[in-house]
Amino acid sequence: MKSLQIKKTNIKLDLLYLFSFLIPTLTMLVIFVIQHIYPFGERSFLHIDMYHQYFPFLVEFYHKLRNGESLFYSWNTGIGSNFLALYVYYLASPANWLCVLIPEKFLMEFLSYMVVLKIGLCGLTFTYYIRKHFCSNSWAILCFSLFYALSGFMAAYNWDVMWLDVIILAPIIVLGVERLVNEGKCYMYCISLGLSILSNYYLSIMLCIFLALYFAVLLIARDPSAEQDSAPLAFPKLDGIKNFYGKALIRFGVFSLLAGGMAAVLLLPELAALRFTEFSDINFPSRLKTYFPVIDMLARHCFNVTVETGLDHWPNIYCGVPVFVLLPLYVLQRKVPLRQKVPKLVLLAFMLVSFSTNVLNFIWHGLNYPDSLPARQSFLYILLLLTVCCEAFLHIQDHTKKTVGAVLAGVFFFLLFCEKIVTDDAFADTCFLVTGIFLLIYGGLIYYFRICQEKCGSVPRMMCIYAILVTVAEAGVNTYLTSVPTVSRTTYLSNYDSYQILTDRTVANENNDFFRFEKFARRTQNDAMLIGFQGGSYFSSTLNSLVSDFYEKYGMRGSRVNYCFEGATPVTAALLSTRYMLYTLDRGYDNLFELVDKEGKVYLYKNNHQIGIAHV
């Protein structure tokens, strides 16, 4: 009988994890279908850097894996560059190695649908964290995991595939640091943090800052009467240190360094390469200033707020309308000790202030201001906020009807106040109205949940299903309205085969001599990697700034993140050993170039005045 009961519990938990993965995954798939993303239409989910960088980089990586080429250097990255630095910054996710199993013509779909799967994994890991953190099997956890997977941060940056592994691992790492402090168990923390740093060291910088702050929160929140060290087999044992806080601090330091050491095989070459980029200069702000009012920032928790991906510093912090009610209820929760409640609230407030303060913003982003894509640490704020809101919900029966009603009334007043004073264009006309409607629905659900918990000790299954459906509707529609932009797949890949055939044929006819191509009617500044030829244009945060300076001095285009053949003269073309020009129209004959080949709609012209690589 006991074994049967255990089996039923395991099935329930398996279903909880299964649905926490499937619900956000299927929600994204439905959005892909509505947006006519291939194979459900002619569109493609390539956006911003995914369009200009990630896909061309993945194609270059794919060719290297398929052809057994070196991962340390590539002549297709600009005029020739450190490919390992590019790999560490953009491609280090272990999932990218699976691309070698995919036909090249479906690489775009591999990249797009990897986003869908990783969003599902975000829901799964958050469910795992919440269940272990609160020792709860409540199906209400699915609502919070969905809000994590389809948050405003994900709506703004789900196309940024190089960051998603860190978002997936963050709940596991936070659970690991909690076990390190409370149980002396260090291995989950060390291994998961090491994987995060390996996957994307840049976003892991923000994660490490958060972990240091959250570690302090855990030390303050720990009950002094609790067992001092419940893991005698944990390494290091530190038997000579009597004080719990000393042991915890040493373990945190040792295993944090060990996690960084696990990633050193990639970090050290990356650090060496970054010394030659424009981002190596640290210009600490000389004056303290703020970007926007706190009220405007709090209002960005509302439904259907346009995401910010430009140069403004607005954070994308939407994570469900229920947080408006549940956070005040958490503040009013008497059964949560002040030593646990206050440090978490202080950390939330500190992170909120960090979004609008230049100095803190500079520190959070690795001692650099973000070049667009602001508030990149906001996923950690969302993780912590959803955790405390989940705790408030799990103890909803501890609040009286009067308290819940007063909080709801206060939140409605806040929404009316925001509607009056917030004038930012990111807020649609119906933003506050729809937020208020969802607030009424969630208020009714919270009230009913409270009654059921008080009278029956459990909630009817149908009520849980209703709550999940409302959550899916809110988070899914918000993602549809604020995310998943598309481009024409046909246009992006136009003449792709012709370019490849023409360049491959030319290289074969040149008997392995060194030269470069240049492509006009450029689709991206990384077309050399997209098609697979040696070019002279490059767009990457890891590029060598000395090359960019050279381009600018000779009249071509250069910046901190790109350099481009645009503006080149016959002299600079000769210096760069640019022997062939690719056009999509017949430019006619002149004494500089002559037409030598054609494939489809692509014309190949030869530069009659190109010089060899030895002169470059």
Side-chain angles (χ1 to χ4, degrees):
M1 186 70 180
K2 185 176 180 181
S3 62
L4 181 62
Q5 184 177 0
I6 293 174
K7 186 176 181 180
K8 288 182 178 179
T9 303
N10 288 337
I11 292 173
K12 181 180 179 181
L13 294 180
D14 289 344
L15 289 176
L16 188 63
Y17 291 136
L18 178 64
F19 282 116
S20 67
F21 171 77
L22 286 180
I23 291 175
T25 301
L26 293 176
T27 302
M28 285 299 297
L29 282 175
V30 169
I31 294 173
F32 270 41
V33 172
I34 295 172
Q35 294 287 62
H36 305 291
I37 293 174
Y38 189 86
F40 306 107
E42 188 273 331
R43 309 298 292 176
S44 175
F45 178 46
L46 291 186
H47 185 53
I48 308 181
D49 291 344
M50 196 179 188
Y51 183 101
H52 293 283
Q53 293 182 301
Y54 306 158
F55 183 60
F57 295 165
L58 182 69
V59 173
E60 175 72 2
F61 182 58
Y62 175 87
H63 288 156
K64 283 182 171 293
L65 293 181
R66 277 294 184 97
N67 300 327
E69 298 172 5
S70 171
L71 295 178
F72 292 95
Y73 197 86
S74 173
W75 286 105
N76 297 344
T77 55
I79 61 172
S81 185
N82 182 346
F83 186 81
L84 182 61
L86 182 148
Y87 170 82
V88 175
Y89 193 88
Y90 292 100
L91 298 168
S93 169
N96 287 333
W97 289 77
L98 297 175
C99 72
V100 75
L101 304 175
I102 305 295
E104 185 175 351
K105 63 180 179 180
F106 296 126
L107 279 181
M108 189 180 294
E109 285 61 57
F110 170 84
L111 195 63
S112 299
Y113 286 91
M114 190 58 69
V115 171
V116 175
L117 292 176
K118 288 187 177 183
I119 286 175
L121 289 173
C122 287
L124 175 62
T125 57
F126 191 80
T127 294
Y128 181 79
Y129 165 65
I130 290 295
R131 180 183 170 270
K132 297 297 182 182
H133 179 83
F134 294 115
C135 297
S136 171
N137 299 328
S138 171
W139 282 79
I141 293 173
L142 289 176
C143 299
F144 294 93
S145 69
L146 182 65
F147 283 133
Y148 180 74
L150 298 179
S151 66
F153 178 91
M154 294 298 285
Y157 303 136
N158 52 24
W159 52 268
D160 209 324
V161 290
M162 70 179 187
W163 291 351
L164 295 187
D165 285 31
V166 181
I167 318 301
I168 294 169
L169 289 168
I172 306 298
I173 298 168
V174 171
L175 179 62
V177 76
E178 290 175 356
R179 288 184 172 178
L180 182 147
V181 172
N182 297 324
E183 304 173 31
K185 298 178 180 178
C186 310
Y187 302 113
M188 173 184 282
Y189 169 71
C190 180
I191 294 171
S192 57
L193 180 58
L195 286 173
S196 176
I197 298 171
L198 276 170
S199 298
N200 186 260
Y201 77 91
Y202 174 69
L203 213 62
S204 294
I205 293 173
M206 298 159 217
L207 177 59
C208 289
I209 294 173
F210 174 81
L211 290 172
L213 296 172
Y214 191 64
F215 174 73
V217 166
L218 292 174
L219 290 185
I220 296 170
R222 183 174 172 82
D223 186 352
S225 63
E227 186 181 352
Q228 293 297 299
D229 198 344
S230 60
L233 297 179
F235 175 81
K237 294 183 180 180
L238 306 174
D239 295 330
I241 300 176
K242 302 290 185 181
N243 186 277
F244 160 78
Y245 298 101
K247 289 182 178 181
L249 184 60
I250 291 174
R251 284 190 177 123
F252 180 73
V254 168
F255 283 92
S256 297
L257 291 173
L258 186 58
M262 291 167 56
V265 65
L266 294 181
L267 282 180
L268 294 179
E270 184 70 10
L271 289 174
L274 288 176
R275 292 188 300 112
F276 297 100
T277 69
E278 290 284 355
F279 299 96
S280 60
D281 297 330
I282 298 175
N283 298 313
F284 203 88
S286 58
R287 290 192 306 168
L288 182 69
K289 68 176 183 179
T290 57
Y291 302 129
F292 30 73
V294 174
I295 294 295
D296 290 37
M297 188 163 46
L298 288 173
R300 294 186 69 85
H301 286 96
C302 288
F303 174 84
N304 191 24
V305 177
T306 303
V307 296
E308 176 61 52
T309 58
L311 295 174
D312 289 336
H313 297 280
W314 291 108
N316 300 295
I317 52 178
Y318 162 84
C319 51
V321 170
V323 301
F324 281 114
V325 180
L326 295 174
L327 183 60
L329 290 176
Y330 177 77
V331 174
L332 297 173
Q333 176 60 256
R334 294 183 179 180
K335 290 189 177 181
V336 178
L338 287 176
R339 67 174 177 274
Q340 296 179 13
K341 185 192 306 181
V342 173
K344 291 181 180 178
L345 293 173
V346 169
L347 180 54
L348 277 173
F350 174 76
M351 296 185 74
L352 200 63
V353 171
S354 298
F355 297 138
S356 64
T357 308
N358 66 327
V359 173
L360 295 176
N361 185 44
F362 183 82
I363 294 171
W364 273 103
H365 290 92
L367 302 181
N368 259 297
Y369 286 119
D371 189 10
S372 71
L373 314 184
R376 302 174 185 186
Q377 79 278 21
S378 54
F379 74 97
L380 297 164
Y381 168 84
I382 290 169
L383 191 157
L384 182 59
L385 178 60
L386 287 174
T387 301
V388 300
C389 288
C390 185
E391 185 170 4
F393 179 80
L394 292 175
H395 295 92
I396 196 68
Q397 71 276 9
D398 296 336
H399 295 285
T400 65
K401 291 183 287 185
K402 184 178 179 180
T403 300
V404 175
V407 168
L408 278 170
V411 174
F412 275 111
F413 178 79
F414 173 77
L415 289 179
L416 291 172
F417 181 67
C418 289
E419 187 179 25
K420 179 68 176 177
I421 69 167
V422 175
T423 58
D424 192 272
D425 293 339
F427 295 85
D429 295 337
T430 59
C431 170
F432 296 108
L433 174 62
V434 179
T435 300
I437 292 172
F438 273 113
L439 196 61
L440 279 174
I441 297 171
Y442 287 119
L445 288 171
I446 289 172
Y447 179 81
Y448 189 81
F449 268 91
R450 181 194 166 281
I451 296 296
C452 291
Q453 288 282 5
E454 186 178 20
K455 292 184 176 180
C456 309
S458 62
V459 180
R461 181 174 298 177
M462 284 305 300
M463 202 63 202
C464 292
I465 294 174
Y466 291 150
I468 293 169
L469 289 176
V470 173
T471 305
V472 171
E474 183 200 342
V477 173
N478 183 79
T479 301
Y480 170 73
L481 294 175
T482 62
S483 185
V484 195
T486 64
V487 298
S488 169
R489 185 178 189 272
T490 303
T491 301
Y492 189 89
L493 296 176
S494 61
N495 299 317
Y496 184 82
D497 292 338
S498 297
Y499 280 118
Q500 282 196 327
I501 293 170
L502 200 55
T503 52
D504 289 346
R505 187 162 63 214
T506 305
V507 169
N509 292 337
E510 289 283 355
N511 298 319
N512 295 321
D513 190 16
F514 184 89
F515 58 90
R516 293 190 176 94
F517 293 90
E518 191 51 53
K519 178 177 178 283
F520 292 85
R522 189 179 296 110
R523 181 67 55 200
T524 76
Q525 288 185 27
N526 291 306
D527 280 359
M529 282 180 280
L530 181 65
I531 295 167
F533 61 78
Q534 295 168 173
S537 299
Y538 190 27
F539 173 28
S540 167
S541 294
T542 63
L543 64 78
N544 191 315
S545 62
L546 298 176
V547 179
S548 182
D549 293 342
F550 166 81
Y551 269 56
E552 288 186 282
K553 287 178 181 179
Y554 280 84
M556 295 177 284
R557 196 170 72 187
S559 74
R560 68 194 307 213
V561 294
N562 71 75
Y563 53 82
C564 180
F565 192 76
E566 196 172 290
T569 65
V571 174
T572 49
L575 285 173
L576 292 173
S577 198
T578 305
R579 184 176 299 177
Y580 291 99
M581 306 288 184
L582 294 158
Y583 288 88
T584 53
L585 52 84
D586 188 347
R587 58 164 285 161
Y589 175 80
D590 56 42
N591 61 349
L592 293 177
F593 304 100
E594 62 175 316
L595 180 65
V596 293
D597 203 351
K598 181 178 182 294
E599 180 67 34
K601 296 180 180 180
V602 180
Y603 298 84
L604 182 70
Y605 284 82
K606 186 173 183 179
N607 180 3
N608 293 322
H609 300 279
Q610 175 256 337
I611 58 178
I613 187 65
H615 297 87
V616 179

